[in-house]
Amino acid sequence: MNMQPELVDRSIDLDEIYALRVRAWRARVPQFPDIDRWTDPWDLVGTHWAIRREGRIVAAARLSIHNRLLELPNPEIFQGVLPDDLSGPIGSLNRLVVAPEMAGQGLTLALDCVRIDHARHCRCTHLVGETYAGMKRMAQLESLGFRQVGLSAAYSSGPLAIVKQERGGGSSPDPPIVIRLDLRQ
């Protein structure tokens, strides 16, 4: 079985990814909003990868590239943590999800690696993102060169605004951590 990330055809695969996002988050966070699909405007401009098992998408992730920090998806979460004048192009890692039954099989690492390679190919100077997954995930990201730069600020809208609010902001057992990888080196 091929468990390698592949580029997604947005016209075919996004609906399956939208449903997977909800299923994966709901398995980890019971208070995740009662929605069927999780979409946002950056889905139409970002590059998506997926990993399939028996024809079904079991993991997916997105990378979007921007000239300035304020152009990133949900730039408010980076306020006070990343410098406002961060030079671009900046890659934004987001919407990484793995089907609950596929956890622990290295799929996140495979999706991280393909996104880092693509960002380098596109000459990004930095990769930034946020993770809720805790210290084990943070250790994996650090092994790829990322560093923790602080806790993220609140989302202004969307499902994660509700999750963060209901988990008590940054006081949950796994507070959302902002990560950064300098690709200029």
Side-chain angles (χ1 to χ4, degrees):
M1 131 180 55
N2 181 11
M3 298 297 274
Q4 293 299 311
E6 60 186 54
L7 277 171
V8 164
D9 182 338
R10 285 193 292 237
S11 66
I12 297 171
D13 296 320
L14 282 184
D15 278 334
E16 189 175 354
I17 290 171
Y18 298 157
L20 176 60
R21 288 176 183 169
V22 172
R23 189 164 68 90
W25 270 87
R26 197 166 285 137
R28 290 190 58 224
V29 182
Q31 69 270 30
F32 192 81
D34 187 21
I35 56 176
D36 295 325
R37 302 168 68 230
W38 181 6
T39 70
D40 66 43
W42 297 279
D43 285 324
L44 300 179
V45 295
T47 304
H48 300 260
W49 288 267
I51 297 174
R52 296 176 194 274
R53 181 177 182 203
E54 298 173 2
R56 294 187 57 231
I57 295 175
V58 295
R62 180 180 75 200
L63 169 72
S64 55
I65 299 174
H66 310 272
N67 291 319
R68 300 173 336 155
L69 195 61
L70 289 174
E71 297 171 357
L72 269 63
N74 306 105
E76 68 275 9
I77 69 171
F78 301 111
Q79 285 183 330
V81 180
L82 292 173
D84 291 336
D85 62 348
L86 196 65
S87 63
I90 303 166
S92 177
L93 301 175
N94 39 61
R95 303 298 178 261
L96 171 66
V97 292
V98 175
E101 68 276 10
M102 298 300 294
Q105 297 188 32
L107 304 184
T108 59
L109 181 60
L111 287 163
D112 288 338
C113 290
V114 74
R115 293 185 295 167
I116 292 168
D117 288 347
H118 188 75
R120 282 192 171 112
H121 175 77
C122 293
R123 304 206 190 299
C124 289
T125 57
H126 298 88
L127 277 174
V128 299
E130 173 191 53
T131 181
Y132 277 77
M135 296 317 295
K136 182 178 177 187
R137 174 73 172 133
M138 194 61 228
Q140 183 181 55
L141 290 163
E142 287 172 343
S143 76
L144 295 172
F146 285 92
R147 63 183 180 91
Q148 177 179 338
V149 293
L151 299 181
S152 69
Y155 282 83
S156 61
S157 63
L160 292 180
I162 296 165
V163 167
K164 199 166 188 178
Q165 180 181 32
E166 292 187 13
R167 289 179 91 181
S171 64
S172 68
D174 293 327
I177 299 169
V178 173
I179 57 169
R180 175 180 171 188
L181 174 62
D182 189 336
L183 295 173
R184 297 173 296 179
Q185 303 167 357

